[in-house]
Amino acid sequence: MSSTPVTVPPAAPHYFADLYTFKWSDLAFELPLISSSAVALCLVVGLLAGHPGGALVSAGGAFTVGFGANQRIADSRLIPMLFAVFAMASATLIGSLLGHNGYTLILASSASAAIYGILTVRNSGLAWVGQQASIALFVATAFAAGPKPAFQRAGLIIAGGMLQVLITSIGLRLLPELRKNLTEIPRTLYHSLSQSVQQDRLELLHTIHNLGSVIPAPDRAVALVYATRLTLTVAIASELYRRLGIQSGYWIPMTALLVQKPAFFETLNRGLARVAGTLAGATLATLLAAHLHLNPWTLAALTAFFAFLGFATNAVNYGLFSVCMTSYIVFLLSLNALPGPEIAHRRAFCTAAGAAISLLIHLDALRRHRDHPAKT
């Protein structure tokens, strides 16, 4: 007598699986080594020139642009990096001129978050560029300056970013592609945006033609809700940053932007991972600072090392990546004679505040999760 085998459906992933799942298969070393070498070079040149502050800014530009090698625009990994260089420089210029004491901070931050939210439904590469521009804006507002220092800071971002693009092109043997991309940037940007607009126009005509039977596209509705929620989150976080009046407060809107995701459990997972990773990274950096003789060259070496770890663990686990990111930032900012433990403590507090705001704005999802679990 034969029996029919029973197929057991696979168990649904746990809501908090992202917190304890480590994708070690995504751990890589070649590209992180290339990208972190650009950061190290910025630090070395700045210290040799006697300008640790300039080294800090240019290395920050090189570090951020390095992540663009994992993005694609028009099937190119260099175009996102090039776009990010000039978007970050422009945002840095605006943020430096605005500062963080006026209501213009809230307007600029909200507008930047709205643009990023809209870009998420256009192109993932362009969305990443928008995200980096928003972050650059938040950081620059902490260093209010007149036109000349603001242009200098933006110039250092361009220098570090373009150095990263050049070293990545050499390391990945993409120099011919780099030359081609540099000449085709305007056309690529035009095509990336015009194709999206053309698609929207065709969808609109189709909607009008079939007006009686049209059902709103759920993806577009979700995207609109996400962009609105993201803008509101960043506006509230920016207001808290403005009211606190502390220079490190830019981590509040930055965390709120990075943590906020379309689904509630995505936001919760990312918030918990970032807070836990930041606390662990702050503790690690404080312990290292207490037991090492931290001269500028030691700080530069530690910064480059944790930059390498940040690049390497980016796709492995977000909490682990946050540990490396926090340590990197603590040692990077210490180059400018800022006390490491104080940086670590402020970053931990501001990260927790930004994550809390993202979750509070998302609390309505708890009711929707109770009624429709699959949708959240």
Side-chain angles (χ1 to χ4, degrees):
M1 181 178 178
S2 61
S3 59
T4 303
V6 178
T7 303
V8 179
H14 192 271
Y15 291 124
F16 299 103
D18 287 344
L19 293 176
Y20 53 79
T21 299
F22 292 82
K23 301 177 182 177
W24 295 113
S25 59
D26 290 336
L27 184 66
F29 296 107
E30 180 184 4
L31 183 56
L33 188 60
I34 293 170
S35 301
S36 59
S37 64
V39 177
L41 185 56
C42 288
L43 295 172
V44 169
V45 171
L47 290 179
L48 288 176
H51 295 287
L56 184 159
V57 177
S58 61
F63 180 71
T64 301
V65 172
F67 289 101
N70 297 317
Q71 305 296 324
R72 295 290 188 278
I73 295 178
D75 201 31
S76 168
R77 63 169 63 189
L78 294 180
I79 289 179
M81 300 174 75
L82 292 168
F83 282 2
V85 170
F86 295 103
M88 289 168 57
S90 301
T92 296
L93 181 62
I94 295 171
S96 298
L97 294 174
L98 290 180
H100 61 275
N101 295 319
Y103 287 103
T104 51
L105 164 69
I106 302 172
L107 294 175
S109 299
S110 300
S112 179
I115 293 172
Y116 164 54
I118 292 171
L119 287 175
T120 56
V121 300
R122 303 294 185 188
N123 177 285
S124 60
L126 287 175
W128 177 81
V129 172
Q131 184 188 71
Q132 305 320 307
S134 295
I135 293 172
L137 176 72
F138 300 148
V139 174
T141 58
F143 305 94
K148 183 177 179 180
F151 275 103
Q152 289 174 341
R153 189 176 184 86
L156 288 169
I157 293 287
I158 292 176
M162 290 306 298
L163 179 63
Q164 179 67 266
V165 173
L166 181 61
I167 288 180
T168 300
S169 301
I170 294 173
L172 299 180
R173 299 177 180 86
L174 297 176
L175 274 178
E177 182 179 337
L178 175 60
R179 288 193 292 268
K180 179 182 178 183
N181 290 161
L182 283 172
T183 59
E184 294 186 354
I185 282 180
R187 185 166 57 182
T188 302
L189 181 60
Y190 171 77
H191 282 306
S192 297
L193 294 176
S194 64
Q195 286 175 2
S196 178
V197 172
Q198 178 72 7
Q199 181 181 358
D200 287 347
R201 188 177 69 84
L202 293 175
E203 289 180 1
L204 177 60
L205 292 175
H206 178 74
T207 299
I208 294 173
H209 185 265
N210 302 283
L211 197 56
S213 58
V214 162
I215 299 175
D219 290 344
R220 293 296 173 122
V222 169
L224 179 60
V225 170
Y226 172 61
T228 304
R229 192 192 305 276
L230 185 65
T231 304
L232 180 61
T233 300
V234 170
I236 294 173
S238 298
E239 172 61 12
L240 178 58
Y241 167 33
R242 187 186 71 84
R243 286 184 176 275
L244 286 176
I246 59 174
Q247 191 178 53
S248 303
Y250 64 84
W251 282 316
I252 300 175
M254 180 194 298
T255 301
L257 180 88
L258 294 172
V259 165
Q260 186 66 266
K261 294 295 174 184
F264 171 74
F265 280 99
E266 284 183 302
T267 302
L268 180 60
N269 273 325
R270 206 165 176 87
L272 292 174
R274 192 167 185 90
V275 171
T278 298
L279 291 173
T283 302
L284 175 61
T286 302
L287 289 174
L288 288 174
H291 292 87
L292 295 175
H293 177 62
L294 297 182
N295 58 50
W297 291 104
T298 306
L299 288 172
L302 287 169
T303 301
F305 174 69
F306 281 106
F308 166 74
L309 292 181
F311 286 123
T313 60
N314 181 38
V316 175
N317 177 273
Y318 190 67
L320 180 60
F321 169 70
S322 297
V323 173
C324 301
M325 274 289 297
T326 300
S327 300
Y328 157 79
I329 288 173
V330 168
F331 293 121
L332 178 70
L333 294 182
S334 296
L335 279 170
N336 205 27
L338 296 174
E342 183 178 344
I343 297 170
H345 297 156
R346 285 186 177 181
R347 177 170 170 82
F349 166 75
C350 293
T351 297
I357 291 172
S358 293
L359 289 172
L360 285 173
I361 299 300
H362 227 317
L363 279 181
D364 65 295
L366 288 177
R367 176 184 56 80
R368 290 187 291 109
H369 174 69
R370 181 189 61 193
D371 299 334
H372 306 284
K375 292 185 178 181
T376 57

